[in-house]
Amino acid sequence: MIRTLCIIAFTLSSGVGCSNLPSWSEPILHPGRDIEARKAELADTLSQRQADTQLKAAQARFAAGETAKCRTLVEESLALRPDSIPALRLAAEVALAEDRGADAIGYYRRLAEVQPGDAQTHHLLGVALEIEGQVIEANQHFERAAQLAPGNTVYQMSQLPTTPPLR
């Protein structure tokens, strides 16, 4: 009864030029929306916690030298949070440890998309590319890392010469 009266009052107030105040009218007209939004928020929070738990377990497996189990756990974590920087880094390290250079390059490329201004990511992508024999592209990432962190001597020295040495 009260809901019906509120809806009638709201409809009449809208018709005579009164402003529509969604802050108080939304819960009355659509009571289930707040519950659905809260459910979605809780589901997201649980998903993040599960991804974090999977990542911590993966890190422990990697530290124990169990790369196959680590790979499974980190992939499950990435399925829940595809842009997780720690999970992408660990996945790339595992791929390199298992001699899966192409997979490592894929993870580092994704990292470079997520954080394009990170010098370490560009340097590690360059290293993975160099291991796989993609020297020209590797040098581009070494140069980018050196630009992003001009004071880092490792990044400066990693750049490959693009011209023949002078004799």
Side-chain angles (χ1 to χ4, degrees), residues 54-76:
Q54 296 285 34
L55 180 60
K56 287 178 184 176
Q59 290 167 335
R61 296 291 187 176
F62 189 69
E66 301 172 3
T67 58
K69 291 179 182 177
C70 174
R71 179 177 5 103
T72 302
L73 291 168
V74 78
E75 287 172 356
E76 290 172 5

Side-chain angles (χ1 to χ4, degrees), residues 10-32:
F10 175 73
T11 305
L12 291 176
S13 68
S14 297
V16 294
C18 294
S19 66
N20 182 1
L21 300 173
S23 61
W24 67 267
S25 65
E26 188 67 26
I28 294 171
L29 296 175
H30 305 286

Side-chain angles (χ1 to χ4, degrees), residues 23-128:
S23 61
W24 67 267
S25 65
E26 188 67 26
I28 294 171
L29 296 175
H30 305 286
R33 283 194 185 160
D34 289 338
I35 293 170
E36 293 304 316
R38 184 69 180 139
K39 282 182 182 178
E41 182 181 315
L42 286 172
D44 186 50
T45 300
L46 288 173
S47 175
Q48 288 180 9
R49 286 185 181 172
Q50 184 179 6
D52 291 343
T53 301
Q54 296 285 34
L55 180 60
K56 287 178 184 176
Q59 290 167 335
R61 296 291 187 176
F62 189 69
E66 301 172 3
T67 58
K69 291 179 182 177
C70 174
R71 179 177 5 103
T72 302
L73 291 168
V74 78
E75 287 172 356
E76 290 172 5
S77 177
L78 283 170
L80 296 168
R81 293 182 64 194
D83 292 339
S84 169
I85 292 168
L88 286 167
R89 284 195 189 281
L90 182 59
E93 288 180 40
V94 170
L96 286 175
E98 293 180 336
D99 200 24
R100 295 181 296 117
D103 291 339
I105 290 170
Y107 290 122
Y108 284 130
R109 284 189 199 282
R110 182 70 187 125
L111 268 170
E113 290 173 9
V114 172
Q115 49 179 185
D118 184 55
Q120 182 182 20
T121 297
H122 285 282
H123 184 259
L124 292 171
L125 176 54
V127 169

